[in-house]
Amino acid sequence: MSNRTLGIGALVIVLATFAASFLHRDGLHSNPQFLSVFTLAKAIKNRERIVLVDLRSDSVYRQLHIPTAKNVTLSGLDSLVLQPDYQLIIYSGVDMLARQAWNSMSEDRRSVTKVVYGGMGDWYDYILYPTLPLHPQAQHQELIRQVKELSSFYGGQPEFTDQRVQMEGYYVDPDQSEWPEITADHAFVRKGC
Amino acid sequence: MNGPFLAYGWIGEEASLVFALATGLAFGFFLERAGLGSAQKLTGQFYFRDLTVFKMMFTAIVTAMLGVFWLHWLGLLQADLIYLTPTFVWPQLIGGLIFGVGFIVGGYCPGTSCVASSTGSLDGMWNVMGLLSGIFLFGELYPYLEPFYMSGSMGQTTLWQELRLPMGTSAAIITLIALLAFWGAELLEIKNATK
């Protein structure tokens, strides 16, 4: 094969790559609709029509899980029967299992599924044991009041700091968000007695 | 089945080490077959006489880069789950400089010195001893070097993220640059061969 042929082949690949990049920037795979743990906490409290699924192992699930969540493994997810008008919401520890579940889901199942952004990690850090500002900005006061109420409702305990606290974690755009960065998984243990 | 296989739990730690061993064996084999066990060929690129190393390495980079992009685009690989070595600008800049000086003085880079050693080359073996000594010396001096070693941290980042371009656009541009560079390398080799 001559260098000319190789060069032409390479140029074709370059053009195809440019085209793929502009036509479908994120590729053929689709990202799910996410919801924040803040939205989920309110949905559970308000008894909305959701089926919450924890994808982690049984032992980890028993240690701590989001209230009302069922423990279903990846292989059992396909056979899960969903009632009409119910939304399926899945989560895992740090979104690895949730990502795996989403990738292997059928299109029909995906249309009724949302993923908890940040999984159990965000539930632990933003609902159960959130770190809240001691002197919040005016636009965050209502949010902080709601977070304190939810944390208390779920048996958590907020901590307060006079350092600046990022409140963006409570807002997740369901249509624009991408999978969060995977951080190291760790055990989630209830604090206190 | 999606990749990375280890991240998704399709393979365990032990199997990943077997994959690493097999990949390393293949890498060494193809380096040697491409002639990169020869110090003459390796240093020839610095005099623009023989740019085989440049062409081979850049081809490998471009192939891997396009492979990662297309597998990610097709949904077979989650590229954002691939581990990236964090960027530390200053130590990597200085380390690269020292590496370059060592390369042209010794005639080998660390990988090719191992390749040369495996064929019984004495200068390759001396190079390996030099690099192991350097690693040992670095370890001993680490407490004093640590502040500099950790300076200029940019975290795990990619060129397309820094340039704020789509991954595919960045890959296509780099491939185009590579093709131009290969053409330029050919011209340089012809020019220097006639001298």
Side-chain angles (χ1 to χ4, degrees):
Chain A
M1 193 177 287
S2 69
N3 282 347
R4 182 189 287 267
T5 312
L6 284 172
I8 291 169
L11 276 172
V12 168
I13 291 172
V14 167
L15 290 171
T17 306
F18 265 124
S21 173
F22 285 113
L23 291 173
H24 270 294
R25 182 187 169 134
D26 295 320
L28 298 183
H29 60 269
S30 59
N31 281 337
Q33 278 214 324
F34 292 98
L35 79 167
S36 69
V37 289
F38 178 61
T39 306
L40 176 66
K42 288 191 289 185
I44 295 170
K45 191 175 177 220
N46 297 335
R47 296 174 190 267
E48 290 179 18
R49 289 172 178 253
I50 59 171
V51 173
L52 185 60
V53 165
D54 186 320
L55 296 165
R56 300 171 301 159
S57 67
D58 179 57
S59 58
V60 177
Y61 167 83
R62 285 176 190 280
Q63 208 168 38
L64 188 65
H65 59 267
I66 298 175
T68 75
K70 297 183 192 185
N71 188 212
V72 179
T73 57
L74 282 176
S75 52
L77 197 57
D78 285 334
S79 50
L80 183 71
V81 176
L82 203 60
Q83 289 180 7
D85 299 331
Y86 271 74
Q87 178 110 67
L88 175 63
I89 298 176
I90 62 174
Y91 75 91
S92 58
V94 290
D95 289 335
M96 269 307 303
L97 285 171
R99 194 189 279 225
Q100 214 168 328
W102 175 262
N103 286 336
S104 56
M105 246 182 224
S106 64
E107 279 305 318
D108 284 343
R109 189 46 73 97
R110 281 184 181 185
S111 63
V112 293
T113 301
K114 287 188 178 180
V115 176
V116 179
Y117 191 90
M120 192 66 210
D122 271 21
W123 181 266
Y124 194 86
D125 292 334
Y126 289 114
I127 300 297
L128 274 189
Y129 304 108
T131 301
L132 299 171
L134 207 51
H135 308 290
Q137 295 174 354
Q139 71 263 34
H140 292 145
Q141 282 183 359
E142 175 56 21
L143 169 66
I144 286 164
R145 186 196 66 77
Q146 291 184 39
V147 170
K148 275 164 52 180
E149 193 183 297
L150 288 168
S151 181
S152 173
F153 181 81
Y154 290 106
Q157 177 70 48
E159 288 176 6
F160 293 89
T161 177
D162 51 11
Q163 309 264 341
R164 195 168 178 276
V165 175
Q166 299 284 352
M167 301 302 291
E168 288 77 19
Y170 293 96
Y171 305 107
V172 171
D173 185 338
D175 296 319
Q176 296 295 320
S177 294
E178 297 192 357
W179 289 99
E181 194 179 316
I182 301 287
T183 54
D185 205 347
H186 61 85
F188 302 104
V189 180
R190 275 208 178 267
K191 294 180 186 175
C193 57
Chain B
M1 187 188 275
N2 283 107
F5 292 160
L6 182 63
Y8 275 109
W10 296 115
I11 59 172
E13 290 279 344
E14 294 82 8
S16 75
L17 291 174
V18 172
F19 270 98
L21 178 63
T23 309
L25 278 167
F27 181 62
F29 176 81
F30 286 115
L31 274 185
E32 205 282 327
R33 290 287 80 205
L36 267 58
S38 156
Q40 261 186 322
K41 193 174 263 299
L42 289 166
T43 53
Q45 65 179 334
F46 296 105
Y47 303 101
F48 303 114
R49 281 197 301 262
D50 185 344
L51 288 155
T52 304
V53 177
F54 167 76
K55 284 183 274 185
M56 204 206 97
M57 288 300 185
F58 211 164
T59 304
I61 288 167
V62 163
T63 306
M65 181 184 62
L66 288 170
V68 166
F69 167 72
W70 280 104
L71 287 173
H72 174 77
W73 194 85
L74 292 168
L76 296 172
L77 171 70
Q78 305 292 305
D80 56 320
L81 293 182
I82 297 172
Y83 175 76
L84 300 174
T85 306
T87 300
F88 294 90
V89 177
W90 302 116
Q92 283 166 350
L93 197 64
I94 301 300
L97 266 164
I98 296 171
F99 173 96
V101 169
F103 196 159
I104 192 157
V105 168
Y108 296 103
C109 71
T112 50
S113 64
C114 296
V115 169
S117 301
S118 70
T119 61
S121 161
L122 275 176
D123 57 344
M125 289 178 195
W126 277 108
N127 242 280
V128 171
M129 280 169 55
L131 92 91
L132 290 175
S133 303
I135 291 169
F136 175 77
L137 187 64
F138 176 82
E140 292 300 303
L141 295 176
Y142 184 74
Y144 309 103
L145 296 171
E146 188 175 1
F148 175 72
Y149 183 75
M150 303 297 276
S151 64
S153 171
M154 291 176 67
Q156 294 178 319
T157 187
T158 59
L159 188 63
W160 60 275
Q161 284 169 332
E162 292 300 317
L163 296 177
R164 300 189 201 286
L165 287 172
M167 191 200 295
T169 307
S170 176
I173 291 171
I174 292 170
T175 307
L176 216 49
I177 291 171
L179 291 174
L180 288 170
F182 295 156
W183 178 61
E186 292 282 307
L187 293 176
L188 270 174
E189 282 176 333
I190 292 166
K191 180 185 167 193
N192 288 312
T194 56
K195 279 187 181 171

